[in-house]
Amino acid sequence: MAQARGQSRDSRRAVLLGLAVVLWPLAGVAVAGMFLSGLALAVAVAAVSGLGLAGIVVVLRAIACRRTVASIVADEGGGAMLEFVMVLPIALMLVLLMIQSSLLMVGNVCVNYAAYCAARAAVVTVPQYAGVEEPHNVVGLSPTAKTERIRRAAVWAVTPVSCSSPDLPPRDAELNAPLANLFDEYAATPPTWIGNIISRKREYADRYTSIELAAPANGAVYADNENLAVTVQHTFYLAVPYAGWLFAKMDSDNRENLDFGAGELGLVIRAKQVLTNEGVADFVAPDTFE
């Protein structure tokens, strides 16, 4: 009798410990969503989810080690199955959160690289002559020829991490023909992903990427060797089921409802880069005679 009561107490302790280990990661994710956003939120959720999964594995291993062969044979109540059913949904959610967190961290890296690409484009585009309205070191109100060239540099940089949903129309003109020609040069058949995946990624990147070029210091004309600050904003597609929805709930300030599919969500990622204006015009100024 005493042995049975002792086993009952041990069983209750194991259940309580298991519940604590299983539930604390979810509490940690909720707390992170209250105080963090952007990259910090993604890193925190990934860390908490990883620790939670490790804790679940340790507890399950400890429970398995304490169970004797006799107790397993005598267990007719389906205790092992109950433990599995209790743990699986939460463990699966933690795995999905880790995957979405990893994708968001990669997205942040790519958007920061896109800001660098846009700034590099700006330092050689701003000094150019793009018509009477945009002469040397003058940029008109967006969208203009100069701002579009800067934005396109950012669009190409984020294309690899963009969405390729079949609900997006493929963008053929700029991408399909050059890639197909490349395969033709090697007498190879162009793969189907050229028209199906890459083109839709390019469409998404173009639709959900914007740039902002800081105004000149004097308010009108950029000076030679003046610092040019370019901010890139990209709406990163939340591709992982359930985890993407949870991230959108936690980071509601950066959430955006996408205009394709059914209930598709994205998180806005921003990055800023500052480079020095080259200040070199790409044309020869006409001579003036008095």
Side-chain angles (χ1 to χ4, degrees), residues 136-161:
H136 173 62
N137 280 348
V138 174
V139 178
L141 296 177
S142 181
T144 64
K146 289 186 178 182
T147 58
E148 182 60 17
R149 181 175 178 181
I150 297 169
R151 191 187 73 89
R152 284 162 60 87
V155 167
W156 283 111
V158 296
T159 295
V161 294

Side-chain angles (χ1 to χ4, degrees), residues 6-243:
Q7 290 178 351
S8 177
R9 285 195 300 270
D10 291 342
S11 177
R12 286 196 297 269
R13 289 173 183 172
V15 170
L16 291 176
L17 178 60
L19 287 174
V21 172
V22 166
L23 293 178
W24 83 261
L26 299 182
V29 169
V31 172
M34 294 172 60
F35 298 101
L36 301 176
S37 63
L39 179 60
L41 176 62
V43 173
V45 170
V48 171
S49 300
L51 291 174
L53 286 174
I56 290 174
V57 171
V58 170
V59 169
L60 290 179
R61 183 176 178 83
I63 293 175
C65 291
R66 291 174 62 90
R67 292 167 64 92
T68 63
V69 175
S71 65
I72 295 175
V73 173
D75 187 5
E76 298 178 356
M81 181 60 69
L82 179 61
E83 294 166 2
F84 177 78
V85 170
M86 289 174 59
V87 170
L88 179 62
I90 298 177
L92 181 59
M93 189 63 191
L94 293 178
V95 171
L96 295 178
L97 285 172
M98 288 186 65
I99 295 173
Q100 185 63 81
S101 299
S102 301
L103 293 176
L104 278 169
M105 286 186 275
V106 173
N108 270 275
V109 172
C110 287
V111 173
N112 276 273
Y113 175 65
Y116 174 69
C117 292
R120 286 188 62 189
V123 300
V124 298
T125 300
V126 170
Q128 293 179 352
Y129 179 83
V132 177
E133 296 181 354
E134 288 188 301
H136 173 62
N137 280 348
V138 174
V139 178
L141 296 177
S142 181
T144 64
K146 289 186 178 182
T147 58
E148 182 60 17
R149 181 175 178 181
I150 297 169
R151 191 187 73 89
R152 284 162 60 87
V155 167
W156 283 111
V158 296
T159 295
V161 294
S162 295
C163 173
S164 60
S165 170
D167 294 322
L168 290 166
R171 179 178 290 258
D172 300 326
E174 294 180 300
L175 197 59
N176 287 9
L179 285 174
N181 291 337
L182 176 63
F183 281 90
D184 289 338
E185 290 292 330
Y186 291 92
T189 302
T192 56
W193 52 258
I194 291 179
N196 295 331
I197 298 177
I198 299 298
S199 294
R200 289 186 169 90
K201 283 178 174 287
R202 176 72 171 80
E203 171 66 22
Y204 181 93
D206 185 74
R207 187 181 297 189
Y208 294 104
T209 304
S210 61
I211 63 103
E212 181 181 351
L213 178 63
N218 64 7
V221 180
Y222 292 96
D224 293 345
N225 302 320
E226 178 182 345
N227 285 339
L228 302 180
V230 181
T231 302
V232 171
Q233 177 175 302
H234 175 72
T235 302
F236 185 80
Y237 177 59
L238 297 174
V240 181
Y242 306 111

Side-chain angles (χ1 to χ4, degrees), residues 217-276:
N218 64 7
V221 180
Y222 292 96
D224 293 345
N225 302 320
E226 178 182 345
N227 285 339
L228 302 180
V230 181
T231 302
V232 171
Q233 177 175 302
H234 175 72
T235 302
F236 185 80
Y237 177 59
L238 297 174
V240 181
Y242 306 111
W245 175 86
L246 186 58
F247 263 101
K249 282 290 186 181
M250 290 189 293
D251 197 1
S252 58
D253 292 339
N254 295 316
R255 182 180 74 177
E256 183 173 338
N257 296 318
L258 305 180
D259 60 358
F260 66 90
E264 301 290 357
L265 298 170
L267 282 185
V268 175
I269 301 176
R270 301 174 183 86
K272 181 180 179 180
Q273 181 67 47
V274 180
L275 292 178
T276 303

